[in-house]
Amino acid sequence: MSPWDIFVSIFVNTLLWIYNMVGQNFGVAIILFTILIKGLTWPLNASQLKSAKAMQDMQNDKDWQAIQKKYAKDKEKLAQEQMRVYKEKGINPFSSCLPTLIQLPVIFALYQSITRSLATTPLALLQLTRSIGSFLDVSTIIPLNSRFLWMDLGLPEGILIPGLNISFLPNGIPTLAIIVALTTYVQTKLTTPPTANPNDQSAAMTKMMAIYMPLLLGWFALTFPSGLAVYFIISNLLGIAQYAMMGRANWRGLLPGGNKPATAK
C-alpha cells in the first residue's frame, strides 16, 4: 500500500468511526471531521496570524515608510529592500497562502475517502472493506446512508427548479457551490493584511489566490460529491470565526480598496 493510500485510509476510517458514533449520519460526520481537521491545522493558522500581524505592523514602521518613499520610482530596488526587511523581521510573506495550499491534499484525500466510503460499485465495496480497520463492524455501517438534508452526499448538489433547464447545470442551481465560492472569497479577504505596495511579490500572490481559490473550490463543489462542498463551507466558516474571535479579521478588506493601509501623516 502506497503512502497516499495509507493517508486516504486514515481519512476513511476516521470518517466511518465518526459516522458510526453519531447515529450513522454522514453529513454530521463530515462536519465533525472538518472541525477535527481545523483543530489539527490550528498551528498553521496561528503562524499565519502572527505573520499577518507582523506585516501590518511593518506598514506603520517609519523606517519602512522611508524606504518606500526613497525607492518609490524603482520597483525592483523596492522589492529587494522589502524582502530584506521581511528577512530581518522574520516575516514570511507567503504565509497567508500556506494554509490554503496545505488544504489541497486534504481536499483530494477527503474526496477519495467520500467516494470510497459510499462504495457505489462492487469493486469499490471490496476496496472499502479491505481498508476498514478491525475496530469497525463492516456489517453495521455498510452501505452508508448518504442522504443529508436535501442532498445525496455522493453526488454533486443542485436544486432543480421546474421549467428551468440550463444545459451546463444538469443538477440544477448549485447552491452549495455558490456558498463555497463566496465563503472562500470572504475568508481570503478577511485574512489578507493591508499592503502599501500592491506590486510586490507577496501582494501579487495574495491577490491571485483571492481570485482563483474561490473559483477553484467553487468548481470542485460544482462537479464533485456534495460531501466535499459541505467540508468546504464548514471549514471556511470556522476559519472566519477563528479570525473574528481573535480580533484579527480585516473586515475592511471586503470593501474596494480596503487592503490599502492608512497613509502616514
Side-chain angles (χ1 to χ4, degrees), residues 2-141:
S2 68
W4 177 253
D5 286 332
I6 295 174
F7 185 55
V8 174
S9 293
I10 293 173
F11 274 53
V12 170
N13 282 276
T14 304
L15 264 176
L16 293 181
W17 179 78
I18 297 175
Y19 168 81
N20 197 42
M21 293 294 292
V22 297
Q24 301 191 350
N25 187 316
F26 202 45
V28 174
I30 292 175
I31 292 172
L32 293 178
F33 180 78
T34 305
I35 295 173
L36 174 63
I37 292 295
K38 271 295 181 180
L40 294 175
T41 57
W42 170 246
L44 279 176
N45 293 328
S47 176
Q48 179 186 14
L49 283 171
K50 182 179 178 180
S51 183
K53 179 62 167 57
M55 291 180 71
Q56 288 177 323
D57 292 342
M58 179 179 142
Q59 300 304 324
N60 297 320
D61 185 85
K62 292 183 178 180
D63 291 336
W64 170 238
Q65 291 173 354
I67 291 173
Q68 286 181 302
K69 185 176 181 180
K70 181 179 180 180
Y71 299 108
K73 296 182 179 180
D74 189 344
K75 294 181 179 179
E76 182 177 353
K77 183 63 176 179
L78 179 60
Q80 292 175 354
E81 287 296 307
Q82 185 176 39
M83 295 309 295
R84 179 184 64 79
V85 174
Y86 280 162
K87 185 175 181 180
E88 289 178 355
K89 294 182 177 296
I91 299 174
N92 179 4
F94 303 109
S95 63
S96 61
C97 305
L98 186 59
T100 304
L101 295 176
I102 293 295
Q103 187 180 196
L104 288 177
V106 175
I107 291 171
F108 293 126
L110 181 63
Y111 163 68
Q112 290 194 16
S113 65
I114 290 173
T115 54
R116 285 190 189 183
S117 297
L118 293 173
T120 56
T121 66
L123 179 59
L125 182 60
L126 178 61
Q127 292 176 335
L128 175 62
T129 55
R130 288 178 175 176
S131 62
I132 293 179
S134 58
F135 60 92
L136 291 171
D137 186 354
V138 177
S139 63
T140 62
I141 59 177

Side-chain angles (χ1 to χ4, degrees), residues 121-188:
T121 66
L123 179 59
L125 182 60
L126 178 61
Q127 292 176 335
L128 175 62
T129 55
R130 288 178 175 176
S131 62
I132 293 179
S134 58
F135 60 92
L136 291 171
D137 186 354
V138 177
S139 63
T140 62
I141 59 177
I142 302 298
L144 267 69
N145 175 22
S146 62
R147 300 300 305 181
F148 181 64
L149 301 178
W150 70 91
M151 57 195 132
D152 185 333
L153 296 173
L155 300 173
E157 183 268 348
I159 297 178
L160 293 172
I161 300 177
L164 181 61
N165 296 315
I166 304 176
S167 59
F168 59 88
L169 295 176
N171 299 307
I173 304 300
T175 310
L176 292 190
I178 294 172
I179 297 175
V180 165
L182 287 175
T183 54
T184 303
Y185 175 80
V186 169
Q187 179 178 226
T188 303

